[in-house]
Amino acid sequence: VQAPHAIMRGTEGDTRLTAPMRFSGPTAVINDRIGTRDFFFNRGHFTLNTHIDASLNSPEEIITTSDGQLSLRNLNVHYRPAGLLFPFRSIALSKRDKDIRFKLQSGVLSTGFIFGLEGTLDKLLPLLLDRPADSIRTEVVLNAPRLDWTNFLAIFGEDGYLDNAEVGEGANDLPQ
């Protein structure tokens, strides 16, 4: 954690932080801080650059009022309810006011296929604070060097990426 210009103001029952901050480390650290039941990060590294001006007693306020960029590299995301493991080269998320954008680049599938997703979210709280009952609206664009029926089935079909997330040999050695 780096916060060279942090200002903390305390009153009875509340502590407010105003600071540009930089957090970095292994992605597994995110599991402890967010505390989700369904998604777990392992392998890889993250960097979060943000500016906080909020109460430290309110994770909701920190998330909704802070802007920043989150970058995760060479990681796996485990989705426990379905028993899925998603290997990713990168995940990037940027937030400025209510403009929330993301970009994902998959690892190499067993078929050699690779794809990316880009899009927007209308809110982060349901994802970051494990609120599955809250709805999220998103727009997503799928990018791929090629996409034919075989590749589509490699992602969405039985025994596909979203069925068992098999990874090709080079997925762990992708460049940063």
Side-chain angles (χ1 to χ4, degrees), residues 14-16 32-35 50-67 95 124-131:
D14 191 22
T15 302
R16 296 194 64 83
D32 299 331
R33 299 295 178 244
I34 295 176
T50 187
H51 186 275
I52 295 174
D53 187 3
S55 169
L56 293 177
N57 296 335
S58 176
E60 291 92 350
E61 182 183 358
I62 292 171
I63 293 167
T64 57
T65 63
S66 300
D67 293 336
K95 179 184 176 293
L124 286 175
L125 286 178
L127 287 175
L128 298 180
L129 297 181
D130 204 16
R131 296 181 176 176

Side-chain angles (χ1 to χ4, degrees), residues 70-171:
L70 173 65
S71 173
L72 302 104
R73 304 294 247 161
N74 298 321
L75 70 147
N76 292 324
V77 178
H78 180 236
Y79 181 58
R80 185 186 304 202
L84 298 175
L85 183 70
F86 300 97
F88 289 106
R89 282 180 47 185
S90 64
I91 299 175
L93 178 77
S94 67
K95 179 184 176 293
R96 185 174 180 129
D97 295 322
K98 294 186 187 246
D99 183 29
I100 305 165
R101 299 181 181 275
F102 65 89
K103 188 173 185 175
L104 307 149
Q105 184 66 49
S106 76
V108 180
L109 303 182
S110 60
T111 62
F113 184 64
I114 193 165
F115 67 93
L117 300 172
E118 293 183 50
T120 60
L121 297 167
D122 67 341
K123 54 189 162 188
L124 286 175
L125 286 178
L127 287 175
L128 298 180
L129 297 181
D130 204 16
R131 296 181 176 176
D134 291 356
S135 65
I136 297 174
R137 186 178 12 226
T138 184
E139 293 182 17
V140 179
V141 174
L142 171 67
N143 298 304
R146 69 177 195 284
L147 186 60
D148 58 23
W149 189 246
T150 303
N151 302 131
F152 184 81
L153 291 175
I155 299 171
F156 300 105
E158 187 175 332
D159 297 325
Y161 182 76
L162 296 180
D163 188 35
N164 64 13
E166 285 185 23
V167 182
E169 285 184 23

